[in-house]
Amino acid sequence: MNRRHDIDALRVLAFGLLILYHLGMLYVSDWGFHLKSHYLAGWLQYPMLFLNRWRMDLLFLISGLAVHFLRGRHSLPLVAWKRTVRLQLPLLFGMAVVIPIQPYVQGVDNGLVAPGFGAFLLRYWTGGPWPAGAFDGWQFGVTWNHLWYLSYVWLYTMVLLALIPVLESPLGQRAVAACRCLRGIALLVLPAVPLVIYSALLANRFPQNHALFNDWHAHAQYGTVFFYGYLLGTRGGLWDELARLRRASLATALVCFAGFLCLDRFMDISPLTPTAMATVHEVLRVLNYLYTWTAIAAVLGWGHQYLNRPFRWLPYAREAVFPWYVLHQSIMLAAAYWLIPLRLGAVLEPLLVLACTVAGCALLHECAIRRSRWLRPLFGLDAKPRVTASEGSMPLHGQTQRA
């Protein structure tokens, strides 16, 4: 089966950006993270904000695309089973084996956990107890840290699968067809409207916590873009339109981001009446989520135009991306824990942390994970490498598929 190479490439590049973003979290000032370097930079907030507003939404949209394709090949119970195994095994294994180094180095750095990883690991596996604030997730004894994404994707997948019979009904098909007919400015504006509404209704009441429970604003936002991915599918109409609009979506995104920054800074330096302040907050909200969606539309459009080709590196990279995602933050924080006290400088230190992260992920994937039939499923891979098109394939838009 033919592959949608652009979707594969965007998935790889999106997770690559995630690694760089987490590296930046070590060095950006005024933003909390598990560890912080001595070399903090305020200017990093701007590129970090530029990515922060759409990076996770893009990953959830791509995950929705994957469910769309699986539905075209399998029954609903089989899709549910495959997604559960693919997502929950790495989550549980990661929380037990891969993640513990993260709370350990954070707790030791905070001075609330005694050095000694073996003793820490026994307490971690048995649920603590831990001093308040020792590390993220100390209340529960264990934590999933960056692997929260897997739990959220699984939840949205199960909800979507429960709704698919409705979507595949005659009425549901008409509604889906109407969504897939969006063109021009409607495609660049209307998908942002629900995100703005969710923010207005839920953001203040339910700040994002990545703890699954009581995280209603995150669920509304990420669940919606996940559903957008399912609706987008792999048919040519919307993708061709996104490619046609790629310059307009990029320009709109840049204007919205610039407007957001200018208004945000204006609020910091200018006294405003309560009414004016409320108005500016609402304008900021609209700019924020219009930027989120148009940035995603630009990424999808430019990607479809230029990345839908069989790059030689892509087959290996699309298999490596899941193990790298599971491993990268633990390796990064372990490297930072040893390198930060050396005070190697604001250039050499981040370069070495990045080099250690890339080398650690590459070596563990190449030398251990991909060669082991029992390790592969624990990192989101099939037990045996596929020699034909994998079930993650994204078919070209001329092929038959459901919904």
Side-chain angles (χ1 to χ4, degrees):
M1 179 180 289
N2 293 323
R3 297 190 71 97
R4 276 291 303 273
H5 302 293
D6 55 327
I7 300 173
D8 282 334
L10 286 176
R11 179 170 174 263
V12 172
L13 294 175
F15 278 105
L17 281 177
L18 183 66
I19 294 175
L20 293 177
Y21 183 86
H22 286 158
L23 177 68
M25 288 297 293
L26 289 166
Y27 298 97
V28 62
S29 59
D30 300 325
W31 291 20
F33 197 51
H34 308 287
L35 291 179
K36 299 298 285 189
S37 172
H38 302 294
Y39 308 106
L40 301 180
W43 64 266
L44 269 178
Q45 292 185 17
Y46 296 103
M48 298 285 282
L49 279 172
F50 187 80
L51 293 176
N52 180 269
R53 293 296 185 259
W54 53 267
R55 61 185 182 88
M56 292 307 304
D57 299 81
L58 177 63
L59 289 175
F60 280 108
L61 185 141
I62 292 173
S63 296
L65 274 166
V67 175
H68 169 93
F69 176 67
L70 284 173
R71 176 55 180 148
R73 296 184 58 191
H74 303 299
S75 66
L76 292 179
L78 186 55
V79 174
W81 171 249
K82 285 179 173 291
R83 290 290 88 185
T84 298
V85 172
R86 186 62 59 94
L87 296 169
Q88 292 298 314
L89 269 182
L91 175 62
L92 296 175
F93 176 78
M95 290 172 65
V97 177
V98 179
I99 292 295
I101 189 63
Q102 299 183 35
Y104 171 72
V105 299
Q106 182 179 351
V108 173
D109 185 68
N110 290 342
L112 298 173
V113 171
F117 186 61
F120 170 88
L121 199 57
L122 290 176
R123 290 182 64 193
Y124 176 87
W125 284 340
T126 56
W130 302 102
F135 57 86
D136 299 327
W138 61 270
Q139 305 95 321
F140 312 105
V142 296
T143 181
W144 53 35
N145 281 7
H146 70 290
L147 299 184
W148 66 270
Y149 164 78
L150 301 180
S151 182
Y152 281 51
V153 168
W154 179 84
L155 174 64
Y156 304 153
T157 300
M158 297 303 110
V159 172
L160 177 58
L161 294 180
L163 293 175
I164 280 180
V166 177
L167 296 173
E168 294 180 351
S169 68
L171 180 60
Q173 286 290 288
R174 287 195 292 271
V176 169
C179 293
R180 288 177 174 160
C181 287
L182 289 178
R183 295 294 185 270
I185 191 171
L187 183 57
L188 298 183
V189 173
L190 291 183
V193 173
L195 307 182
V196 174
I197 295 173
Y198 300 150
S199 176
L201 296 177
L202 300 173
N204 291 333
R205 296 174 57 197
F206 302 101
Q208 292 193 20
N209 58 34
H210 298 163
L212 192 63
F213 298 102
N214 208 38
D215 202 11
W216 295 111
H217 180 218
H219 289 318
Q221 178 177 335
Y222 295 141
T224 296
V225 294
F226 180 89
F227 184 62
Y228 287 171
Y230 180 81
L231 289 179
L232 182 60
T234 52
R235 296 183 181 182
L238 279 176
W239 286 97
D240 291 343
E241 183 68 358
L242 287 168
R244 186 184 73 83
L245 294 171
R246 65 189 185 277
R247 294 182 179 86
S249 57
L250 178 60
T252 304
L254 292 176
V255 168
C256 289
F257 185 71
F260 178 89
L261 288 183
C262 290
L263 267 182
D264 187 58
R265 296 301 176 260
F266 174 76
M267 289 178 63
D268 291 339
I269 62 176
S270 300
L272 297 174
T273 66
T275 300
M277 183 74 73
T279 301
V280 172
H281 271 297
E282 292 310 310
V283 174
L284 284 172
R285 193 190 314 275
V286 172
L287 288 173
N288 181 29
Y289 288 101
L290 187 58
Y291 168 64
T292 297
W293 173 248
T294 53
I296 292 173
V299 170
L300 296 177
W302 287 94
H304 187 57
Q305 183 71 19
Y306 293 108
L307 297 179
N308 196 16
R309 61 189 68 181
F311 298 101
R312 292 183 62 183
W313 52 267
L314 192 52
Y316 186 88
R318 67 173 174 250
E319 181 195 64
V321 67
F322 204 141
W324 279 53
Y325 161 69
V326 173
L327 293 168
H328 80 275
Q329 188 162 289
S330 291
I331 296 174
M332 180 181 295
L333 290 177
Y337 175 74
W338 290 106
L339 290 171
I340 286 173
L342 301 180
R343 296 180 181 265
L344 298 172
V347 175
L348 183 57
E349 181 187 292
L351 288 177
L352 286 176
V353 172
L354 179 60
C356 290
T357 304
V358 171
C361 290
L363 288 172
L364 286 171
H365 169 247
E366 175 61 31
C367 299
I369 297 168
R370 72 185 298 258
R371 301 176 185 276
S372 170
R373 293 189 60 181
W374 67 269
L375 273 179
R376 289 177 62 89
L378 299 178
F379 287 89
L381 306 178
D382 295 306
K384 291 193 292 187
R386 291 176 177 263
V387 295
T388 58
S390 73
E391 66 185 43
S393 302
M394 301 296 180
L396 294 173
H397 53 260
Q399 295 175 316
T400 302
Q401 54 198 303
R402 303 187 189 187

